[in-house]
Amino acid sequence: MKQFTTRQIVLLGVLMEVGITLIHAPAQAADHANQHAYWTCIIAAIVLCLPIWAMLKLKRRFPDQDLMQAMVSSHPVLGRVLLAFYLILFLIIFARDLRIITDLVEVVLLPLTPIVVTSLIVLLTLVFMAKGGISTIVNMTEIFLPMLIVTLLTMPLFFGRNMDFSMLRPYLHPEVEGVIKGSWRMLGYMADIMIVPFVISGKSYNGRSAWFGHLLGTAFLIILVLLSELVIGVPILSRLFYPSYELVRQLQLTDFLDRFDLFVAALTVPTFLTKIGVDLYVTSLAVKRMFAQAWGSLMVWPVGLLGYVCSFMLFSNIVQIYDFTREWTAVMIIFFVIMPLLLWMLLRPKSKGKGGDDRASNGERDSGSQKESQHEGRTGHGHL
């Protein structure tokens, strides 16, 4: 498995934590926490520290494997059963994110195009992205994510008098119940950062990259939520489906650049597509890990089409996704907060056998790797 640098894993972690979260999660947080919505990002980030710590401990036992490989190699039967549940979870995440980005493109960029056609165009992009492998996705992250972060972080320099700091009053009297409810909504999207260990080997997923990526993603969300509150205002922010897009629309540099939102959309949409590309990749990879004889690159199209159908079957409109966040967070807590702790206690690398059994198993692995490399050479699909 390809080893990545710390910078690449940090950017991938920020992408997974921020990518879809900033679309409409800030509005849900503001709806409950009001002017203290930025605290919801902090509380959700603190909750995620425990599963990240468990993943780091677990990955040290399997330095050459991703988490799905570790599950199958430690417990072939039970691991595949658990992997089947994760496969369903990844498929729902992919369908949810595909529905969100399709609706965003439909509203912002292509209002006259049928939503079915828009979703197919997006799916076609995602399929070719996932077939390129995790290396292609990480390289795209290095291109689009830094530009998006720099663009959004420089926006406060141009807002100036549009920021009203009275929106944050009272500063020191948060409504605890509202902050907890807002953190519950925010956690359901920020927990996507836990997908990274499923596609990255233990050598690449180290403590420095995991913690710094989590810290940077949380800081970026806090700044974005604060900026939305100061510019848009809490009463309006809590009633928007796309607060980040509305925030960009408030920025007008000159008469010539009065549609600055289109420039930011040109950076934002590819970043969102890269995040959803990870969703499609990890879903296809789960199929490959469950069935050793399956080739992951051949699973991308069927899995993508299945996710395309599920995106319309599960969510008929964006309002259902908005309302489903309350129940969805409970599912994410089970699989991405509690389950990593259980896996840390259960998964152990198998001890090597002795004598002929060990040599026979090594011979089987060698022959299997030779067949896989020969197939990759013939088809050129060795990325997944």
Side-chain angles (χ1 to χ4, degrees):
M1 180 174 288
K2 179 178 174 58
Q3 189 169 354
F4 299 98
T5 63
T6 300
R7 182 190 72 257
Q8 291 174 323
I9 302 303
V10 168
L11 292 176
L12 186 61
V14 174
L15 174 71
M16 300 304 296
E17 188 167 17
V18 176
I20 299 297
T21 307
L22 58 84
I23 293 183
H24 61 71
Q28 293 180 298
D31 188 27
H32 296 279
N34 297 321
Q35 71 273 16
H36 297 98
Y38 58 92
W39 276 104
T40 62
C41 305
I42 300 175
I43 296 176
I46 293 174
V47 173
L48 290 174
C49 288
L50 189 59
I52 291 177
W53 172 82
M55 284 293 185
L56 290 172
K57 293 291 185 180
L58 180 60
K59 299 293 275 186
R60 291 179 183 176
R61 303 173 187 167
F62 304 92
D64 298 322
Q65 296 179 333
D66 55 56
L67 184 57
M68 290 184 284
Q69 284 179 309
M71 292 164 57
V72 175
S73 62
S74 298
H75 303 279
V77 178
L78 181 61
R80 283 180 167 84
V81 172
L82 183 59
L83 193 56
F85 288 102
Y86 272 105
L87 174 61
I88 298 174
L89 177 70
F90 295 147
L91 183 63
I92 297 176
I93 293 176
F94 170 64
R96 179 203 67 183
D97 294 348
L98 180 61
R99 190 69 174 88
I100 291 175
I101 190 62
T102 301
D103 192 81
L104 177 64
V105 172
E106 182 77 13
V107 172
V108 176
L109 300 176
L110 304 173
L112 300 181
T113 305
I115 191 170
V116 177
V117 177
T118 303
S119 185
L120 281 175
I121 295 174
V122 173
L123 177 63
L124 183 65
T125 306
L126 297 175
V127 166
F128 283 104
M129 188 187 307
K131 287 177 70 69
I134 191 64
S135 300
T136 301
I137 297 174
V138 170
N139 292 334
M140 292 181 64
T141 303
E142 287 188 287
I143 297 174
F144 294 110
L145 188 62
M147 293 191 297
L148 176 64
I149 292 177
V150 171
T151 301
L152 295 182
L153 292 184
T154 53
M155 286 196 305
L157 302 177
F158 301 100
F159 279 119
R161 291 178 296 179
N162 292 334
M163 291 189 293
D164 184 5
F165 287 89
S166 64
M167 291 291 179
L168 301 180
R169 296 176 182 173
Y171 301 107
L172 302 178
H173 298 279
E175 184 183 352
V176 178
E177 182 180 356
V179 172
I180 293 176
K181 290 182 179 179
S183 304
W184 180 267
R185 267 72 175 179
M186 190 68 70
L187 180 61
Y189 289 92
M190 292 179 62
D192 285 359
I193 192 176
M194 300 307 301
I195 295 179
V196 177
F198 285 87
V199 297
I200 300 297
S201 64
K203 291 182 179 179
S204 299
Y205 190 75
N206 52 52
R208 184 179 178 183
S209 60
W211 291 122
F212 192 65
H214 183 44
L215 178 63
L216 187 60
T218 304
F220 181 67
L221 283 175
I222 293 174
I223 294 174
L224 190 63
V225 172
L226 277 173
L227 199 58
S228 300
E229 291 180 341
L230 295 175
V231 177
I232 301 176
V234 176
I236 300 177
L237 175 62
S238 60
R239 290 167 172 79
L240 295 174
F241 276 112
Y242 305 114
S244 302
Y245 172 68
E246 189 63 32
L247 175 65
V248 176
R249 288 188 60 189
Q250 304 302 314
L251 183 60
Q252 294 181 357
L253 300 182
T254 63
D255 293 337
F256 177 70
L257 292 178
D258 59 345
R259 291 304 307 273
F260 187 75
D261 56 304
L262 295 179
F263 171 75
V264 178
L267 297 176
T268 305
V269 173
T271 306
F272 293 159
L273 290 178
T274 307
K275 193 274 176 186
I276 307 174
V278 179
D279 298 339
L280 179 56
Y281 175 83
V282 70
T283 308
S284 304
L285 187 63
V287 177
K288 177 181 178 181
R289 298 298 184 227
M290 285 185 61
F291 308 101
Q293 69 275 13
W295 295 101
S297 59
L298 300 179
M299 294 293 104
V300 175
W301 265 116
V303 171
L305 291 174
L306 180 60
Y308 169 80
V309 174
C310 291
S311 66
F312 291 101
M313 290 182 58
L314 300 178
F315 312 103
S316 60
N317 52 60
I318 196 67
V319 179
Q320 291 187 350
I321 299 178
Y322 195 93
D323 295 335
F324 184 60
T325 304
R326 182 180 62 179
E327 292 78 12
W328 179 247
T329 303
V331 178
M332 297 296 279
I333 288 178
I334 293 175
F335 284 94
F336 284 158
V337 177
I338 299 176
M339 193 59 67
L341 299 175
L342 297 179
L343 293 176
W344 168 60
M345 293 185 292
L346 294 177
L347 298 186
R348 293 288 190 279
K350 285 189 174 181
S351 58
K352 296 182 179 180
K354 296 182 180 180
D357 294 338
D358 189 23
R359 289 192 297 270
S361 61
N362 290 334
E364 292 176 359
R365 286 195 296 268
D366 293 340
S367 61
S369 61
Q370 290 177 1
K371 292 180 181 178
E372 184 174 354
S373 61
Q374 291 174 1
H375 181 85
E376 293 173 0
R378 292 193 305 268
T379 62
H381 296 319
H383 302 287
L384 183 62

